[in-house]
Amino acid sequence: MMVITCTVIPALLIIHDGLAYLPRVVSKVIALRTSHNAFKTAAEENARVTKFIEVYRATEVLVTTFNALSCDVGPVAQFAWMAITTMGLVVILRSNCWHERILACFLIVVNVCTGVIYCHVSGSIHEKSKEILLGLRRKCHVKYNQLRLKALQPIKIYCGPLFYFDKSIFISAVGAIQDTTITIVLA
C-alpha cells in the first residue's frame, strides 16, 4: 500500500494536472476571431488544433508509460484496498478491545482515503479527456479538424488487462466490501 501512496498517486496527480492544461489549449481554439477571411480563420483553427493534438499526444504518451509501468499495480491495489477495508470492518464488529477498534478505524480511514483518491483521480482522467475531446469537436468549424479530433481516443488508466477506471468502479468496490464483510461476520 505504501508503493501506491508514494509513487502511483503522485504520478496520477501529474497526469491529472496535464489534463487540466488541455482546456487552456481548447479555449484558444474556441476563441478564434471571427473575420471575413474564411481561409485565415481556417488556418488559425488548423494551427491551434495541431497544437492541441501535440499536447494531447504527449499526455497520451505519459499515460501509456504509466499504464505500462503500473499495469500490475492496479488490480493488486484494488484488491488490497478492498481486503484491508473489509478486515478493518470485521475487526471493529468482532473485537472487544477498544484499542483494537481505534486502530482498525484509523486503518480504515487511511485506507479508504488512499483508495478514494486513487479511484477518483483515475476515473476523472478518463471522464475529463472524453469531455474535452467532445467539447472541442463540437466547437470546430472545419470538418477536417473535427475528423482529426474524432480520431483521438479518450485517455484511460487501466486497472487490469480488460478494464479501466471510471466513476462506477468506486461504487462497485463499496458494494463488494459490504457483501464480503456481511458474509465474514455471519460466518
Side-chain angles (χ1 to χ4, degrees):
M1 209 56 173
M2 192 59 126
V3 171
I4 294 171
T5 306
C6 295
T7 58
V8 174
I9 290 179
L12 284 174
L13 292 174
I14 289 170
I15 293 168
H16 190 265
D17 287 343
L19 283 176
Y21 172 73
L22 288 177
R24 286 182 246 151
V25 177
V26 171
S27 67
K28 291 179 182 177
V29 173
I30 293 170
L32 284 174
R33 289 178 280 152
T34 56
S35 66
H36 298 292
N37 189 349
F39 293 115
K40 184 177 178 183
T41 305
E44 288 176 0
E45 182 180 290
N46 192 30
R48 290 187 175 137
V49 167
T50 302
K51 176 66 177 166
F52 171 80
I53 290 174
E54 278 180 25
V55 173
Y56 194 81
R57 292 283 185 203
T59 307
E60 275 185 333
V61 168
L62 181 64
V63 170
T64 304
T65 305
F66 175 78
N67 282 336
L69 293 175
S70 66
C71 64
D72 295 332
V73 174
V76 172
Q78 196 172 17
F79 171 75
W81 176 67
M82 292 169 56
I84 291 171
T85 305
T86 302
M87 178 202 60
L89 290 172
V90 169
V91 167
I92 289 172
L93 293 172
R94 287 198 171 170
S95 177
N96 293 330
C97 300
W98 64 271
H99 63 282
E100 288 178 1
R101 288 183 177 177
I102 291 175
L103 184 62
C105 286
F106 177 74
L107 180 69
I108 288 173
V109 167
V110 169
N111 193 40
V112 166
C113 289
T114 303
V116 166
I117 290 171
Y118 185 75
C119 289
H120 177 73
V121 171
S122 300
S124 67
I125 287 171
H126 174 68
E127 299 293 326
K128 189 169 189 124
S129 68
K130 194 165 54 171
E131 175 184 308
I132 288 170
L133 287 174
L134 185 62
L136 183 59
R137 200 168 62 224
R138 287 181 181 159
K139 300 290 183 185
C140 281
H141 303 291
V142 180
K143 184 72 170 176
Y144 171 71
N145 289 333
Q146 289 175 349
L147 293 175
R148 287 172 65 195
L149 293 170
K150 191 175 184 178
L152 296 174
Q153 297 295 319
I155 295 173
K156 300 175 183 178
I157 301 292
Y158 289 99
C159 62
L162 301 174
F163 303 105
Y164 60 91
F165 281 99
D166 60 354
K167 301 243 178 183
S168 65
I169 288 247
F170 179 72
I171 296 169
S172 301
V174 169
I177 290 169
Q178 177 186 4
D179 293 344
T180 307
T181 303
I182 290 172
T183 304
I184 291 173
V185 168
L186 292 177

